[in-house]
mmCIF file of all heavy atoms in Angstrom:
data_model
loop_
_atom_site.group_PDB
_atom_site.id
_atom_site.type_symbol
_atom_site.label_atom_id
_atom_site.label_comp_id
_atom_site.label_asym_id
_atom_site.label_seq_id
_atom_site.Cartn_x
_atom_site.Cartn_y
_atom_site.Cartn_z
ATOM 1 N N ALA P 79 30.799 -35.021 27.843
ATOM 2 C CA ALA P 79 32.079 -34.508 27.330
ATOM 3 C C ALA P 79 32.031 -32.989 27.211
ATOM 4 O O ALA P 79 31.024 -32.413 26.816
ATOM 5 C CB ALA P 79 32.357 -35.116 25.957
ATOM 6 N N TYR P 80 33.123 -32.334 27.592
ATOM 7 C CA TYR P 80 33.243 -30.889 27.413
ATOM 8 C C TYR P 80 34.710 -30.563 27.149
ATOM 9 O O TYR P 80 35.605 -31.380 27.400
ATOM 10 C CB TYR P 80 32.734 -30.122 28.640
ATOM 11 C CG TYR P 80 33.569 -30.346 29.883
ATOM 12 C CD1 TYR P 80 34.703 -29.569 30.128
ATOM 13 C CD2 TYR P 80 33.248 -31.347 30.791
ATOM 14 C CE1 TYR P 80 35.495 -29.789 31.243
ATOM 15 C CE2 TYR P 80 34.022 -31.574 31.908
ATOM 16 C CZ TYR P 80 35.147 -30.800 32.135
ATOM 17 O OH TYR P 80 35.934 -31.036 33.229
ATOM 18 N N LYS P 81 34.915 -29.361 26.648
ATOM 19 C CA LYS P 81 36.276 -28.927 26.359
ATOM 20 C C LYS P 81 36.305 -27.411 26.480
ATOM 21 O O LYS P 81 35.319 -26.739 26.144
ATOM 22 C CB LYS P 81 36.645 -29.351 24.935
ATOM 23 C CG LYS P 81 38.068 -29.031 24.505
ATOM 24 C CD LYS P 81 38.290 -29.571 23.082
ATOM 25 C CE LYS P 81 39.620 -29.133 22.517
ATOM 26 N NZ LYS P 81 39.785 -29.585 21.128
ATOM 27 N N ILE P 82 37.416 -26.883 26.971
ATOM 28 C CA ILE P 82 37.616 -25.432 27.041
ATOM 29 C C ILE P 82 38.948 -25.140 26.366
ATOM 30 O O ILE P 82 39.939 -25.814 26.627
ATOM 31 C CB ILE P 82 37.667 -24.937 28.502
ATOM 32 C CG1 ILE P 82 36.311 -25.143 29.200
ATOM 33 C CG2 ILE P 82 38.060 -23.456 28.558
ATOM 34 C CD1 ILE P 82 36.324 -24.855 30.682
ATOM 35 N N LYS P 83 38.967 -24.151 25.497
ATOM 36 C CA LYS P 83 40.235 -23.797 24.845
ATOM 37 C C LYS P 83 40.337 -22.280 24.726
ATOM 38 O O LYS P 83 39.363 -21.614 24.373
ATOM 39 C CB LYS P 83 40.334 -24.462 23.473
ATOM 40 C CG LYS P 83 41.702 -24.300 22.811
ATOM 41 C CD LYS P 83 41.871 -25.237 21.628
ATOM 42 C CE LYS P 83 43.134 -24.914 20.851
ATOM 43 N NZ LYS P 83 43.327 -25.779 19.678
ATOM 44 N N VAL P 84 41.512 -21.759 25.047
ATOM 45 C CA VAL P 84 41.775 -20.318 24.982
ATOM 46 C C VAL P 84 42.805 -20.081 23.879
ATOM 47 O O VAL P 84 43.866 -20.712 23.864
ATOM 48 C CB VAL P 84 42.302 -19.799 26.343
ATOM 49 C CG1 VAL P 84 42.552 -18.300 26.267
ATOM 50 C CG2 VAL P 84 41.311 -20.112 27.465
ATOM 51 N N TYR P 85 42.512 -19.161 22.961
ATOM 52 C CA TYR P 85 43.364 -18.926 21.788
ATOM 53 C C TYR P 85 44.260 -17.711 22.035
ATOM 54 O O TYR P 85 43.752 -16.622 22.346
ATOM 55 C CB TYR P 85 42.492 -18.756 20.532
ATOM 56 C CG TYR P 85 41.764 -20.041 20.214
ATOM 57 C CD1 TYR P 85 40.629 -20.403 20.947
ATOM 58 C CD2 TYR P 85 42.246 -20.930 19.269
ATOM 59 C CE1 TYR P 85 39.985 -21.613 20.723
ATOM 60 C CE2 TYR P 85 41.609 -22.141 19.032
ATOM 61 C CZ TYR P 85 40.473 -22.482 19.765
ATOM 62 O OH TYR P 85 39.846 -23.691 19.545
ATOM 63 N N PRO P 86 45.569 -17.878 21.898
ATOM 64 C CA PRO P 86 46.531 -16.817 22.238
ATOM 65 C C PRO P 86 46.289 -15.510 21.491
ATOM 66 O O PRO P 86 46.034 -15.507 20.284
ATOM 67 C CB PRO P 86 47.882 -17.424 21.818
ATOM 68 C CG PRO P 86 47.667 -18.894 21.795
ATOM 69 C CD PRO P 86 46.236 -19.095 21.422
ATOM 70 N N GLY P 87 46.352 -14.410 22.253
ATOM 71 C CA GLY P 87 46.319 -13.065 21.669
ATOM 72 C C GLY P 87 44.992 -12.623 21.083
ATOM 73 O O GLY P 87 44.904 -11.542 20.517
ATOM 74 N N GLN P 88 43.949 -13.446 21.234
ATOM 75 C CA GLN P 88 42.690 -13.138 20.538
ATOM 76 C C GLN P 88 41.707 -12.365 21.423
ATOM 77 O O GLN P 88 41.568 -12.646 22.602
ATOM 78 C CB GLN P 88 42.039 -14.426 20.029
ATOM 79 C CG GLN P 88 42.893 -15.163 19.008
ATOM 80 C CD GLN P 88 43.397 -14.228 17.922
ATOM 81 O OE1 GLN P 88 42.622 -13.699 17.135
ATOM 82 N NE2 GLN P 88 44.702 -14.003 17.868
ATOM 83 N N VAL P 89 41.034 -11.396 20.789
ATOM 84 C CA VAL P 89 40.079 -10.546 21.501
ATOM 85 C C VAL P 89 38.657 -11.062 21.265
ATOM 86 O O VAL P 89 38.442 -12.004 20.504
ATOM 87 C CB VAL P 89 40.190 -9.069 21.032
ATOM 88 C CG1 VAL P 89 41.563 -8.509 21.349
ATOM 89 C CG2 VAL P 89 39.879 -8.917 19.535
ATOM 90 N N HIS P 90 37.698 -10.432 21.917
ATOM 91 C CA HIS P 90 36.297 -10.827 21.789
ATOM 92 C C HIS P 90 35.850 -10.694 20.334
ATOM 93 O O HIS P 90 36.111 -9.688 19.688
ATOM 94 C CB HIS P 90 35.446 -9.913 22.674
ATOM 95 C CG HIS P 90 34.083 -10.449 22.918
ATOM 96 N ND1 HIS P 90 33.799 -11.324 23.933
ATOM 97 C CD2 HIS P 90 32.926 -10.246 22.260
ATOM 98 C CE1 HIS P 90 32.514 -11.629 23.898
ATOM 99 N NE2 HIS P 90 31.962 -10.991 22.888
ATOM 100 N N GLY P 91 35.187 -11.720 19.837
ATOM 101 C CA GLY P 91 34.656 -11.652 18.474
ATOM 102 C C GLY P 91 35.599 -12.142 17.393
ATOM 103 O O GLY P 91 35.289 -12.044 16.212
ATOM 104 N N PHE P 92 36.749 -12.712 17.790
ATOM 105 C CA PHE P 92 37.776 -13.028 16.783
ATOM 106 C C PHE P 92 37.373 -14.109 15.795
ATOM 107 O O PHE P 92 37.790 -14.088 14.642
ATOM 108 C CB PHE P 92 39.102 -13.412 17.477
ATOM 109 C CG PHE P 92 39.148 -14.822 18.035
ATOM 110 C CD1 PHE P 92 39.753 -15.844 17.320
ATOM 111 C CD2 PHE P 92 38.596 -15.118 19.282
ATOM 112 C CE1 PHE P 92 39.810 -17.137 17.831
ATOM 113 C CE2 PHE P 92 38.643 -16.399 19.802
ATOM 114 C CZ PHE P 92 39.252 -17.416 19.073
ATOM 115 N N ALA P 93 36.538 -15.059 16.202
ATOM 116 C CA ALA P 93 36.379 -16.280 15.399
ATOM 117 C C ALA P 93 35.362 -16.189 14.271
ATOM 118 O O ALA P 93 35.214 -17.125 13.509
ATOM 119 C CB ALA P 93 36.037 -17.456 16.308
ATOM 120 N N GLN P 94 34.650 -15.058 14.155
ATOM 121 C CA GLN P 94 33.612 -15.035 13.124
ATOM 122 C C GLN P 94 33.936 -14.123 11.943
ATOM 123 O O GLN P 94 33.074 -13.808 11.144
ATOM 124 C CB GLN P 94 32.255 -14.669 13.743
ATOM 125 C CG GLN P 94 32.187 -13.283 14.327
ATOM 126 C CD GLN P 94 31.429 -13.259 15.649
ATOM 127 O OE1 GLN P 94 31.876 -13.833 16.625
ATOM 128 N NE2 GLN P 94 30.307 -12.581 15.681
ATOM 129 N N LEU P 95 35.190 -13.726 11.833
ATOM 130 C CA LEU P 95 35.555 -12.800 10.762
ATOM 131 C C LEU P 95 35.649 -13.475 9.402
ATOM 132 O O LEU P 95 36.063 -14.628 9.293
ATOM 133 C CB LEU P 95 36.908 -12.152 11.067
ATOM 134 C CG LEU P 95 36.932 -11.203 12.269
ATOM 135 C CD1 LEU P 95 38.368 -10.803 12.557
ATOM 136 C CD2 LEU P 95 36.098 -9.968 12.006
ATOM 137 N N LYS P 96 35.293 -12.729 8.366
ATOM 138 C CA LYS P 96 35.508 -13.174 6.998
ATOM 139 C C LYS P 96 37.002 -13.037 6.697
ATOM 140 O O LYS P 96 37.673 -12.171 7.270
ATOM 141 C CB LYS P 96 34.684 -12.319 6.032
ATOM 142 C CG LYS P 96 33.192 -12.361 6.341
ATOM 143 C CD LYS P 96 32.345 -11.699 5.278
ATOM 144 C CE LYS P 96 32.562 -10.215 5.130
ATOM 145 N NZ LYS P 96 32.417 -9.447 6.394
ATOM 146 N N PRO P 97 37.546 -13.879 5.804
ATOM 147 C CA PRO P 97 38.995 -13.873 5.563
ATOM 148 C C PRO P 97 39.578 -12.489 5.262
ATOM 149 O O PRO P 97 40.646 -12.134 5.776
ATOM 150 C CB PRO P 97 39.153 -14.805 4.360
ATOM 151 C CG PRO P 97 37.994 -15.733 4.457
ATOM 152 C CD PRO P 97 36.858 -14.928 5.035
ATOM 153 N N GLU P 98 38.859 -11.681 4.482
ATOM 154 C CA GLU P 98 39.406 -10.365 4.105
ATOM 155 C C GLU P 98 39.407 -9.368 5.266
ATOM 156 O O GLU P 98 40.017 -8.308 5.181
ATOM 157 C CB GLU P 98 38.683 -9.795 2.883
ATOM 158 C CG GLU P 98 37.201 -9.585 3.055
ATOM 159 C CD GLU P 98 36.359 -10.821 2.717
ATOM 160 O OE1 GLU P 98 36.864 -11.961 2.824
ATOM 161 O OE2 GLU P 98 35.181 -10.635 2.359
ATOM 162 N N ASP P 99 38.709 -9.704 6.372
ATOM 163 C CA ASP P 99 38.674 -8.804 7.532
ATOM 164 C C ASP P 99 39.662 -9.221 8.630
ATOM 165 O O ASP P 99 39.750 -8.575 9.663
ATOM 166 C CB ASP P 99 37.253 -8.763 8.120
ATOM 167 C CG ASP P 99 36.250 -8.136 7.163
ATOM 168 O OD1 ASP P 99 36.676 -7.275 6.359
ATOM 169 O OD2 ASP P 99 35.065 -8.489 7.197
ATOM 170 N N MET P 100 40.370 -10.315 8.405
ATOM 171 C CA MET P 100 41.302 -10.802 9.425
ATOM 172 C C MET P 100 42.635 -10.065 9.354
ATOM 173 O O MET P 100 43.094 -9.713 8.276
ATOM 174 C CB MET P 100 41.594 -12.294 9.201
ATOM 175 C CG MET P 100 40.424 -13.209 9.345
ATOM 176 S SD MET P 100 40.931 -14.904 8.879
ATOM 177 C CE MET P 100 39.342 -15.734 8.826
ATOM 178 N N LYS P 101 43.254 -9.877 10.507
ATOM 179 C CA LYS P 101 44.626 -9.381 10.532
ATOM 180 C C LYS P 101 45.553 -10.579 10.361
ATOM 181 O O LYS P 101 45.280 -11.651 10.917
ATOM 182 C CB LYS P 101 44.908 -8.691 11.862
ATOM 183 C CG LYS P 101 44.088 -7.422 12.067
ATOM 184 C CD LYS P 101 44.280 -6.886 13.467
ATOM 185 C CE LYS P 101 43.412 -5.649 13.686
ATOM 186 N NZ LYS P 101 43.324 -5.292 15.108
ATOM 187 N N PRO P 102 46.650 -10.406 9.611
ATOM 188 C CA PRO P 102 47.529 -11.549 9.323
ATOM 189 C C PRO P 102 47.989 -12.300 10.579
ATOM 190 O O PRO P 102 48.040 -13.527 10.584
ATOM 191 C CB PRO P 102 48.715 -10.921 8.600
ATOM 192 C CG PRO P 102 48.197 -9.638 8.042
ATOM 193 C CD PRO P 102 47.113 -9.173 8.965
ATOM 194 N N GLN P 103 48.275 -11.556 11.655
ATOM 195 C CA GLN P 103 48.790 -12.232 12.858
ATOM 196 C C GLN P 103 47.711 -13.066 13.567
ATOM 197 O O GLN P 103 48.021 -13.962 14.346
ATOM 198 C CB GLN P 103 49.429 -11.235 13.837
ATOM 199 C CG GLN P 103 48.460 -10.291 14.542
ATOM 200 C CD GLN P 103 48.223 -8.997 13.771
ATOM 201 O OE1 GLN P 103 48.363 -8.943 12.549
ATOM 202 N NE2 GLN P 103 47.849 -7.926 14.494
ATOM 203 N N ASP P 104 46.438 -12.748 13.292
ATOM 204 C CA ASP P 104 45.345 -13.477 13.945
ATOM 205 C C ASP P 104 44.827 -14.648 13.116
ATOM 206 O O ASP P 104 44.204 -15.565 13.649
ATOM 207 C CB ASP P 104 44.169 -12.523 14.217
ATOM 208 C CG ASP P 104 44.540 -11.426 15.189
ATOM 209 O OD1 ASP P 104 45.342 -11.690 16.100
ATOM 210 O OD2 ASP P 104 44.036 -10.291 15.029
ATOM 211 N N LYS P 105 45.080 -14.595 11.829
ATOM 212 C CA LYS P 105 44.501 -15.574 10.903
ATOM 213 C C LYS P 105 44.720 -17.039 11.334
ATOM 214 O O LYS P 105 43.779 -17.826 11.351
ATOM 215 C CB LYS P 105 45.073 -15.324 9.495
ATOM 216 C CG LYS P 105 44.321 -16.011 8.377
ATOM 217 C CD LYS P 105 44.809 -15.477 7.027
ATOM 218 C CE LYS P 105 43.968 -16.010 5.891
ATOM 219 N NZ LYS P 105 44.405 -17.310 5.400
ATOM 220 N N PRO P 106 45.954 -17.426 11.726
ATOM 221 C CA PRO P 106 46.153 -18.832 12.120
ATOM 222 C C PRO P 106 45.265 -19.253 13.300
ATOM 223 O O PRO P 106 44.748 -20.374 13.316
ATOM 224 C CB PRO P 106 47.627 -18.896 12.528
ATOM 225 C CG PRO P 106 48.269 -17.689 11.954
ATOM 226 C CD PRO P 106 47.205 -16.650 11.809
ATOM 227 N N TYR P 107 45.069 -18.341 14.247
ATOM 228 C CA TYR P 107 44.262 -18.684 15.426
ATOM 229 C C TYR P 107 42.777 -18.749 15.084
ATOM 230 O O TYR P 107 42.038 -19.589 15.603
ATOM 231 C CB TYR P 107 44.502 -17.674 16.553
ATOM 232 C CG TYR P 107 45.929 -17.681 17.020
ATOM 233 C CD1 TYR P 107 46.765 -16.596 16.770
ATOM 234 C CD2 TYR P 107 46.458 -18.790 17.685
ATOM 235 C CE1 TYR P 107 48.090 -16.615 17.178
ATOM 236 C CE2 TYR P 107 47.786 -18.808 18.104
ATOM 237 C CZ TYR P 107 48.597 -17.721 17.852
ATOM 238 O OH TYR P 107 49.905 -17.751 18.249
ATOM 239 N N ILE P 108 42.351 -17.859 14.195
ATOM 240 C CA ILE P 108 40.952 -17.862 13.756
ATOM 241 C C ILE P 108 40.660 -19.167 13.010
ATOM 242 O O ILE P 108 39.663 -19.842 13.260
ATOM 243 C CB ILE P 108 40.647 -16.642 12.857
ATOM 244 C CG1 ILE P 108 40.800 -15.340 13.663
ATOM 245 C CG2 ILE P 108 39.240 -16.745 12.261
ATOM 246 C CD1 ILE P 108 40.804 -14.063 12.823
ATOM 247 N N GLU P 109 41.578 -19.526 12.121
ATOM 248 C CA GLU P 109 41.393 -20.763 11.343
ATOM 249 C C GLU P 109 41.422 -21.991 12.240
ATOM 250 O O GLU P 109 40.655 -22.934 12.052
ATOM 251 C CB GLU P 109 42.440 -20.841 10.233
ATOM 252 C CG GLU P 109 42.116 -19.855 9.110
ATOM 253 C CD GLU P 109 43.201 -19.752 8.043
ATOM 254 O OE1 GLU P 109 44.282 -20.352 8.234
ATOM 255 O OE2 GLU P 109 42.962 -19.065 7.029
ATOM 256 N N GLU P 110 42.306 -21.957 13.242
ATOM 257 C CA GLU P 110 42.396 -23.071 14.193
ATOM 258 C C GLU P 110 41.094 -23.198 15.000
ATOM 259 O O GLU P 110 40.570 -24.305 15.179
ATOM 260 C CB GLU P 110 43.582 -22.836 15.138
ATOM 261 C CG GLU P 110 43.837 -23.981 16.095
ATOM 262 C CD GLU P 110 44.956 -23.664 17.089
ATOM 263 O OE1 GLU P 110 45.754 -22.719 16.851
ATOM 264 O OE2 GLU P 110 45.023 -24.361 18.104
ATOM 265 N N ALA P 111 40.569 -22.065 15.454
ATOM 266 C CA ALA P 111 39.322 -22.084 16.238
ATOM 267 C C ALA P 111 38.177 -22.649 15.406
ATOM 268 O O ALA P 111 37.366 -23.450 15.881
ATOM 269 C CB ALA P 111 38.984 -20.679 16.729
ATOM 270 N N ARG P 112 38.123 -22.247 14.132
ATOM 271 C CA ARG P 112 37.061 -22.755 13.253
ATOM 272 C C ARG P 112 37.218 -24.248 13.015
ATOM 273 O O ARG P 112 36.240 -24.989 13.041
ATOM 274 C CB ARG P 112 37.116 -22.021 11.917
ATOM 275 C CG ARG P 112 36.658 -20.609 12.097
ATOM 276 C CD ARG P 112 35.984 -20.106 10.845
ATOM 277 N NE ARG P 112 35.757 -18.698 11.039
ATOM 278 C CZ ARG P 112 36.133 -17.765 10.175
ATOM 279 N NH1 ARG P 112 36.714 -18.093 9.059
ATOM 280 N NH2 ARG P 112 35.886 -16.505 10.434
ATOM 281 N N GLN P 113 38.461 -24.667 12.780
ATOM 282 C CA GLN P 113 38.708 -26.092 12.555
ATOM 283 C C GLN P 113 38.316 -26.895 13.798
ATOM 284 O O GLN P 113 37.667 -27.936 13.706
ATOM 285 C CB GLN P 113 40.185 -26.331 12.200
ATOM 286 C CG GLN P 113 40.469 -27.754 11.714
ATOM 287 C CD GLN P 113 39.620 -28.155 10.515
ATOM 288 O OE1 GLN P 113 39.590 -27.472 9.495
ATOM 289 N NE2 GLN P 113 38.899 -29.266 10.628
ATOM 290 N N ASP P 114 38.692 -26.368 14.963
ATOM 291 C CA ASP P 114 38.346 -27.035 16.227
ATOM 292 C C ASP P 114 36.829 -27.130 16.392
ATOM 293 O O ASP P 114 36.303 -28.144 16.856
ATOM 294 C CB ASP P 114 38.930 -26.263 17.417
ATOM 295 C CG ASP P 114 40.452 -26.355 17.497
ATOM 296 O OD1 ASP P 114 41.043 -27.224 16.815
ATOM 297 O OD2 ASP P 114 41.054 -25.560 18.241
ATOM 298 N N MET P 115 36.141 -26.059 16.018
ATOM 299 C CA MET P 115 34.681 -26.021 16.105
ATOM 300 C C MET P 115 34.067 -27.122 15.238
ATOM 301 O O MET P 115 33.213 -27.889 15.692
ATOM 302 C CB MET P 115 34.181 -24.648 15.656
ATOM 303 C CG MET P 115 32.681 -24.481 15.625
ATOM 304 S SD MET P 115 32.185 -22.784 15.165
ATOM 305 C CE MET P 115 32.033 -22.950 13.379
ATOM 306 N N PHE P 116 34.529 -27.214 13.992
ATOM 307 C CA PHE P 116 33.979 -28.227 13.092
ATOM 308 C C PHE P 116 34.382 -29.641 13.505
ATOM 309 O O PHE P 116 33.586 -30.583 13.370
ATOM 310 C CB PHE P 116 34.372 -27.938 11.640
ATOM 311 C CG PHE P 116 33.594 -26.796 11.056
ATOM 312 C CD1 PHE P 116 34.219 -25.615 10.681
ATOM 313 C CD2 PHE P 116 32.220 -26.898 10.889
ATOM 314 C CE1 PHE P 116 33.499 -24.549 10.154
ATOM 315 C CE2 PHE P 116 31.479 -25.828 10.368
ATOM 316 C CZ PHE P 116 32.119 -24.658 9.999
ATOM 317 N N ASP P 117 35.587 -29.819 14.042
ATOM 318 C CA ASP P 117 36.016 -31.142 14.513
ATOM 319 C C ASP P 117 35.107 -31.621 15.646
ATOM 320 O O ASP P 117 34.745 -32.787 15.727
ATOM 321 C CB ASP P 117 37.470 -31.098 15.006
ATOM 322 C CG ASP P 117 38.469 -30.980 13.862
ATOM 323 O OD1 ASP P 117 38.072 -31.149 12.694
ATOM 324 O OD2 ASP P 117 39.660 -30.707 14.129
ATOM 325 N N TRP P 118 34.759 -30.683 16.538
ATOM 326 C CA TRP P 118 33.887 -31.028 17.671
ATOM 327 C C TRP P 118 32.497 -31.437 17.179
ATOM 328 O O TRP P 118 31.947 -32.449 17.607
ATOM 329 C CB TRP P 118 33.795 -29.840 18.618
ATOM 330 C CG TRP P 118 33.007 -30.091 19.861
ATOM 331 C CD1 TRP P 118 31.698 -29.790 20.096
ATOM 332 C CD2 TRP P 118 33.481 -30.717 21.064
ATOM 333 N NE1 TRP P 118 31.318 -30.175 21.360
ATOM 334 C CE2 TRP P 118 32.392 -30.747 21.981
ATOM 335 C CE3 TRP P 118 34.711 -31.256 21.460
ATOM 336 C CZ2 TRP P 118 32.512 -31.297 23.264
ATOM 337 C CZ3 TRP P 118 34.823 -31.789 22.743
ATOM 338 C CH2 TRP P 118 33.726 -31.811 23.623
ATOM 339 N N ILE P 119 31.965 -30.638 16.261
ATOM 340 C CA ILE P 119 30.628 -30.946 15.718
ATOM 341 C C ILE P 119 30.645 -32.307 15.020
ATOM 342 O O ILE P 119 29.763 -33.144 15.239
ATOM 343 C CB ILE P 119 30.170 -29.840 14.750
ATOM 344 C CG1 ILE P 119 29.892 -28.545 15.524
ATOM 345 C CG2 ILE P 119 28.909 -30.251 13.987
ATOM 346 C CD1 ILE P 119 29.777 -27.307 14.658
ATOM 347 N N LYS P 120 31.687 -32.536 14.223
ATOM 348 C CA LYS P 120 31.778 -33.771 13.446
ATOM 349 C C LYS P 120 31.844 -35.012 14.354
ATOM 350 O O LYS P 120 31.365 -36.084 14.013
ATOM 351 C CB LYS P 120 33.021 -33.725 12.549
ATOM 352 C CG LYS P 120 32.955 -34.732 11.390
ATOM 353 C CD LYS P 120 34.275 -34.867 10.661
ATOM 354 C CE LYS P 120 34.603 -33.679 9.820
ATOM 355 N NZ LYS P 120 35.913 -33.824 9.120
ATOM 356 N N MET P 121 32.428 -34.823 15.535
ATOM 357 C CA MET P 121 32.555 -35.938 16.473
ATOM 358 C C MET P 121 31.192 -36.421 16.974
ATOM 359 O O MET P 121 30.992 -37.594 17.262
ATOM 360 C CB MET P 121 33.399 -35.476 17.669
ATOM 361 C CG MET P 121 34.204 -36.596 18.241
ATOM 362 S SD MET P 121 35.495 -36.138 19.430
ATOM 363 C CE MET P 121 35.538 -34.399 19.610
ATOM 364 N N TYR P 122 30.234 -35.519 17.034
ATOM 365 C CA TYR P 122 28.938 -35.849 17.657
ATOM 366 C C TYR P 122 27.735 -35.747 16.731
ATOM 367 O O TYR P 122 26.661 -36.261 17.041
ATOM 368 C CB TYR P 122 28.708 -34.944 18.870
ATOM 369 C CG TYR P 122 29.795 -35.106 19.909
ATOM 370 C CD1 TYR P 122 30.799 -34.140 20.045
ATOM 371 C CD2 TYR P 122 29.838 -36.230 20.713
ATOM 372 C CE1 TYR P 122 31.805 -34.296 20.990
ATOM 373 C CE2 TYR P 122 30.844 -36.406 21.645
ATOM 374 C CZ TYR P 122 31.826 -35.428 21.788
ATOM 375 O OH TYR P 122 32.825 -35.591 22.707
#
């Protein structure tokens, strides 16, 4: 099993920011990427 996902408007390094370092417009995508990451791990 594999999966590829591209997050709109996001630059290199977007997914590892602490909440206080996120820009408001990026926050939903960062949170989505993290949730997706944990969902994938939890599956296996």
